[in-house]
Amino acid sequence: IKANTKTEFSEDETESNICIHQGFYEYLFGSTIDNDASRKQNKFHEIMTHIQTLLDSNPAYRTTYKLYITGHSLGGALATLFGFYASSFHPSLPRPVTVVSVASPRVGNLEFARTFARFESYGCLRHLRIANHKDPVTLGPTVSSKRALTLATMMLSPLGYAALKLSGRDAGAEE
């Protein structure tokens, strides 16, 4: 989806070309319905409210504490997206906001990566992305799940790949 990313750091119109994986965006920013059919805050605002309450309760926390956001796989993608928005829209947070993602799929397009890198260069965000070489999860979501399954099976088990191919569930079957 096209992202709403106008921030205090906007220098030009590149932010308007940022696209973010729709599923990750909706998971973090989509509103939910509570049991009594009332709208709840989205996850991003719910978490930011807790952080802001903590920082407001003791102003010294702004200088003595840092914000670290971590996650693995889907959680890594959400941590990356959360860190991006938290660092760009909430200047009152202690800087830099640190994201540590492990085996995370890609979150956005090339413009997202460029803007993310620019936020890092401004010192408001830093990111440690841990990924194993040839891990199909870290190559996505540009890789279909069927293609990722085929790649993973080919790398790990020639016999498993043969069974996958015979069943017609390999990525070659959809081409």
Side-chain angles (χ1 to χ4, degrees):
I1 65 169
K2 286 278 191 178
N4 174 13
T5 55
K6 291 294 180 195
T7 69
E8 64 179 305
F9 305 108
S10 296
E11 295 174 349
D12 53 34
E13 291 302 312
T14 58
E15 282 83 14
S16 64
N17 295 322
I18 291 174
C19 292
I20 295 172
H21 183 278
Q22 184 173 355
F24 301 150
Y25 186 88
E26 287 178 358
Y27 190 91
L28 192 60
F29 292 102
S31 61
T32 59
I33 304 297
D34 206 350
N35 291 337
D36 62 358
S38 62
R39 284 205 152 321
K40 285 178 56 175
Q41 282 187 324
N42 63 45
K43 290 173 180 55
F44 177 82
H45 288 104
E46 184 179 344
I47 295 166
M48 287 306 302
T49 300
H50 288 298
I51 293 170
Q52 199 62 50
T53 301
L54 181 65
L55 293 174
D56 290 345
S57 70
N58 188 339
Y61 288 172
R62 293 183 194 285
T63 57
T64 57
Y65 288 95
K66 300 288 183 196
L67 179 58
Y68 288 83
I69 306 155
T70 64
H72 171 260
S73 196
L74 168 62
L78 295 173
T80 301
L81 193 55
F82 184 92
F84 177 79
Y85 276 91
S87 68
S88 59
F89 289 108
H90 294 275
S92 64
L93 289 177
R95 300 286 172 100
V97 171
T98 302
V99 176
V100 180
S101 62
V102 181
S104 169
R106 294 181 188 149
V107 172
N109 65 354
L110 186 57
E111 287 303 320
F112 173 83
R114 287 180 181 146
T115 305
F116 197 98
R118 191 165 61 229
F119 290 171
E120 287 182 299
S121 72
Y122 293 153
C124 61
L125 176 66
R126 63 182 169 182
H127 185 211
L128 173 62
R129 183 173 191 250
I130 302 167
N132 287 326
H133 180 61
K134 295 185 181 180
D135 180 355
V137 171
T138 62
L139 301 175
T142 58
V143 175
S144 72
S145 58
K146 191 177 273 193
R147 179 79 175 132
L149 176 63
T150 301
L151 289 172
T153 306
M154 284 172 59
M155 287 187 307
L156 299 175
S157 168
L159 184 58
Y161 175 65
L164 190 66
K165 188 142 183 81
L166 289 172
S167 72
R169 289 193 233 148
D170 67 315
E174 67 181 24
E175 296 174 347

